[in-house]
Amino acid sequence: MTRSIGEALAAARDGSAQEVATAAIARARDDRWGALLHVDQEGALAAAASVDTAATEGRAVGPLAGVPVVIKDNLCQRGTPTTCASKLLEGWVAPYDAHVVERLCAAGAVIVGKANLDEFAMGSSGETSAFGPTRNPCDEARVPGGSSSGSAAAVAAGIVPAALGSDTGGSVRQPAAFCGLVGLKPTYGRVSRYGLVAFASSLDQVGPIARDAASAAALFDVVAGYDPRDATSADAPRGEHVAAVARGVRGLRVGVPRDFVAGADPDVRDAFERALDRLVERGASVVDVALPHARHGVSVYYLVATAEASSNLARFDGVRFGLRVEGADLTETYERTRARFGPEVKRRILLGTYALSAGYYDAYYLRAQKVRVRIAEDFAQAFERCDVVATPTTPTVAWRLGERSDDPLQTWLQDLYTLPASLAGLPALSAPCGTGEAGLPVGFHVTGRRWDEATLLAVAGALEGER
Amino acid sequence: MLDEAEVRQVARLARLGLTDEEVGVMRGQLAGVLAHVRDLDAVDVEGVDPLGLAPAGMGSREDDVRAGLAREDALAGAPEPVDEGFGVPKAFE
């Protein structure tokens, strides 16, 4: 088992990247968690061979040379299937590389395969995949979280030391929390979405999931940065985030919105409080802050994100990509093809279409956008008193497979802690902070100022020091 | 209150085929969600600019011509590539 990026890097320096890749492929082939949808043996071995050749010839290798990773299957990788875990894209082969794939390859990473996800990244349990659910390696009767379910499970199962997911409303952070891992959603604009299949464009970000903060930081440093092919990509200064992990938290002011945190289960709150105590022991201080509009995050998100999804997913119509189910005419072909979306995707397309439709736009979509601004204003005020805002990542530990699939609203309500940072475009991270009910992992969620991923990684590093 | 006719109308707008059973299930679920989101009605949004979140540094750029996806690559995954375009079923008689 490769536990960290550092171990894989050390092996690559010894000229044994191919051995590391072969072992990772073997673990990927032995996937009993439903973590992966595709294993790219040929591509992975070729990438590893070129790392070994470079090392043998004394040429420079990249910062992730020989590190096996998996990427969520809503990221395009030229020549490999990209399904978004949907029947609509079954068999579709991406004709180009996503920006983050280009970055990974240039850094010498070895992409072992494509990870399972909730269909089109819509879900928070991994159960909406058209190709079967993913199981949580910490407890196989439980969900791994979602939507980056396979990315988290592949890391938790030890198949790879790190993975890329995407996070629209918590899809990197929540599965990281459920699987006992570090998950980072970067600042909106930090990582190019070129080649990420769009779900909700005002929210989507690509982010790393890894076993430890240093590995997450190493992956983040590789994929972050300006790309003109994503109109929202910002030309922000790039940091040295690996160094930030060991920076410590002395003098850090951790803001806690007490009313909001009270919504979590007692076992989760206990683990959260213990983590706050550890940060205080290491020199941080805890201050009360208020996020009075954060409790509206679920309503705002499920109007805004579904509205954007209803527009973005219009392109899956049986004409340009993947599946077509023939009808008598063009309209019937659209309807029959799109009937193959799973129920969660249909529900969101319907809700989003409704929220945008004539007569309802002002009451739903426009009002949600305005409350979204209020949520962002809350953070701006909180950051006058603190450096990060902390809550649990989720109100409960991982639930059992099948336990909540009948009631979508109840599942959506579980996203309350991850949504506000997404809506405000701020960076946020989930770090492991001990265990709750049944010995299952609990996540510590920190939101930072725009572009301040470094402080979030320092918090994650400080929490690790006590493990 | 959302009724089944409205669900069918929204599905038609979204070009989404639904079975009768799905219409019934979705009606109930969406009605629940629409009741939940009424919490937003209590928020004072007087004077809020709904586009107030657009971050700095994301201004317009030069409209440069750049190489895009090759035509054959774009067509490779299409269900019905025809000559140099996407084939579609007839739209009307």
Side-chain angles (χ1 to χ4, degrees):
Chain A
M1 185 189 287
T2 312
R3 303 195 73 87
S4 73
I5 280 184
E7 288 174 13
L9 282 173
R13 272 195 297 274
D14 296 343
S16 53
Q18 288 169 94
E19 280 172 41
V20 172
T22 302
I25 290 162
R27 291 190 297 266
R29 294 253 181 248
D30 203 21
D31 168 24
R32 67 172 190 275
W33 304 275
L36 302 180
L37 294 175
H38 176 72
V39 178
D40 182 16
Q41 177 166 332
E42 192 182 336
L45 289 177
S50 69
V51 168
D52 282 343
T53 304
T56 308
E57 293 174 358
R59 284 186 281 124
V61 294
L64 293 180
V67 175
V69 297
V70 298
I71 61 175
K72 189 174 182 177
D73 200 24
N74 59 354
L75 289 164
C76 291
Q77 183 185 4
R78 186 178 172 94
T80 65
T82 299
T83 66
C84 293
S86 179
K87 295 285 185 196
L88 268 284
L89 281 175
E90 190 169 11
W92 185 72
V93 173
Y96 68 102
D97 281 334
H99 177 77
V100 294
V101 169
E102 291 175 350
R103 286 285 178 96
L104 286 175
C105 293
V110 173
I111 301 173
V112 172
K114 308 294 291 288
N116 205 351
L117 65 153
D118 282 295
E119 184 177 1
F120 282 104
M122 297 180 186
S124 46
S125 69
E127 293 170 292
T128 76
S129 167
F131 307 120
T134 304
R135 294 177 176 277
N136 189 329
C138 301
D139 176 347
E140 292 177 17
R142 307 259 176 174
V143 301
S147 69
S148 305
S149 47
S151 299
V155 176
I159 295 172
V160 287
L164 283 183
S166 68
D167 189 315
T168 304
S171 282
V172 158
R173 294 161 281 160
Q174 187 254 18
F178 278 9
C179 293
L181 305 168
V182 176
L184 172 66
K185 184 206 81 82
T187 307
Y188 186 76
R190 182 69 104 164
V191 180
S192 168
R193 290 97 49 91
Y194 178 76
L196 169 70
V197 178
F199 158 16
S201 303
S202 76
L203 297 153
D204 296 339
Q205 268 295 292
V206 178
I209 296 176
R211 191 173 288 277
D212 55 43
S215 297
L219 195 48
F220 173 57
D221 273 339
V222 164
V223 298
Y226 178 65
D227 173 23
R229 296 170 299 185
D230 175 354
T232 65
S233 175
D235 202 357
R238 296 179 68 185
E240 286 295 320
H241 290 93
V242 178
V245 171
R247 189 167 82 182
V249 293
R250 189 156 302 282
L252 188 76
R253 296 168 302 165
V254 180
V256 178
R258 290 284 171 192
D259 293 356
F260 196 39
V261 171
D265 279 5
D267 61 320
V268 171
R269 284 206 309 271
D270 286 350
F272 173 74
E273 295 295 338
R274 289 195 300 272
L276 282 179
D277 291 345
R278 288 206 290 278
L279 294 177
V280 170
E281 283 164 21
R282 290 171 170 259
S285 60
V286 174
V287 298
D288 285 349
V289 295
L291 298 178
H293 298 91
R295 66 191 177 87
H296 300 294
V298 173
S299 293
V300 172
Y301 177 84
Y302 281 98
L303 291 168
V304 170
T306 60
E308 295 181 20
S310 73
S311 172
N312 274 326
L313 270 61
R315 62 173 61 93
F316 302 106
D317 57 3
V319 174
R320 286 161 291 175
F321 310 93
L323 180 77
R324 171 187 291 182
V325 183
E326 295 282 350
D329 57 20
L330 186 57
T331 300
E332 201 178 292
T333 299
Y334 289 153
E335 290 177 349
R336 287 190 179 187
T337 301
R338 291 163 60 77
R340 300 293 180 93
F341 283 125
E344 182 69 15
V345 176
K346 285 180 179 168
R347 197 152 40 236
R348 295 197 194 195
I349 289 174
L350 288 171
L351 179 58
T353 304
Y354 184 83
L356 289 175
S357 61
Y360 296 109
Y361 177 89
D362 285 1
Y364 292 107
Y365 180 76
L366 189 63
R367 175 163 282 271
Q369 284 288 26
K370 290 178 177 178
V371 177
R372 180 179 184 175
V373 174
R374 289 282 190 235
I375 291 171
E377 290 169 351
D378 286 353
F379 277 112
Q381 283 171 17
F383 287 133
E384 290 174 6
R385 297 169 46 85
C386 67
D387 303 304
V388 294
V389 171
T391 65
T393 308
T394 58
T396 69
V397 294
W399 56 86
R400 289 183 180 79
L401 281 152
E403 190 177 6
R404 297 196 179 172
S405 36
D406 291 345
D407 190 348
L409 179 58
Q410 287 308 310
T411 306
W412 293 1
L413 290 169
Q414 304 300 312
D415 299 344
L416 81 165
Y417 293 128
T418 53
L419 294 175
S422 297
L423 291 166
L426 299 171
L429 171 146
S430 180
C433 70
T435 55
E437 184 212 323
L440 291 161
V442 173
F444 186 86
H445 187 269
V446 271
T447 303
R449 297 187 179 93
R450 181 166 283 276
W451 314 125
D452 193 15
E453 289 88 352
T455 300
L456 307 182
L457 288 158
V459 171
L463 291 174
E464 275 170 10
E466 290 288 311
R467 280 199 294 167
Chain B
M1 199 60 184
L2 193 71
D3 62 29
E4 292 199 356
E6 283 180 285
V7 174
R8 288 183 201 280
Q9 166 65 5
V10 173
R12 202 184 60 76
L13 290 172
R15 301 290 183 264
L16 198 59
L18 295 181
T19 64
D20 289 348
E21 189 192 347
E22 282 179 314
V23 169
V25 171
M26 292 289 174
R27 191 214 64 77
Q29 293 174 341
L30 293 175
V33 173
L34 292 174
H36 179 85
V37 302
R38 301 315 304 192
D39 68 326
L40 299 183
D41 293 350
V43 181
D44 176 12
V45 292
E46 187 65 33
V48 173
D49 173 6
L51 299 179
L53 272 179
M58 291 189 190
S60 56
R61 56 168 169 75
E62 293 302 312
D63 190 15
D64 296 328
V65 176
R66 294 195 183 99
L69 203 56
R71 190 192 304 266
E72 56 269 28
D73 284 345
L75 290 171
E80 189 193 348
V82 175
D83 299 328
E84 295 187 328
F86 297 107
V88 294
K90 65 180 189 292
F92 48 82
E93 292 296 336

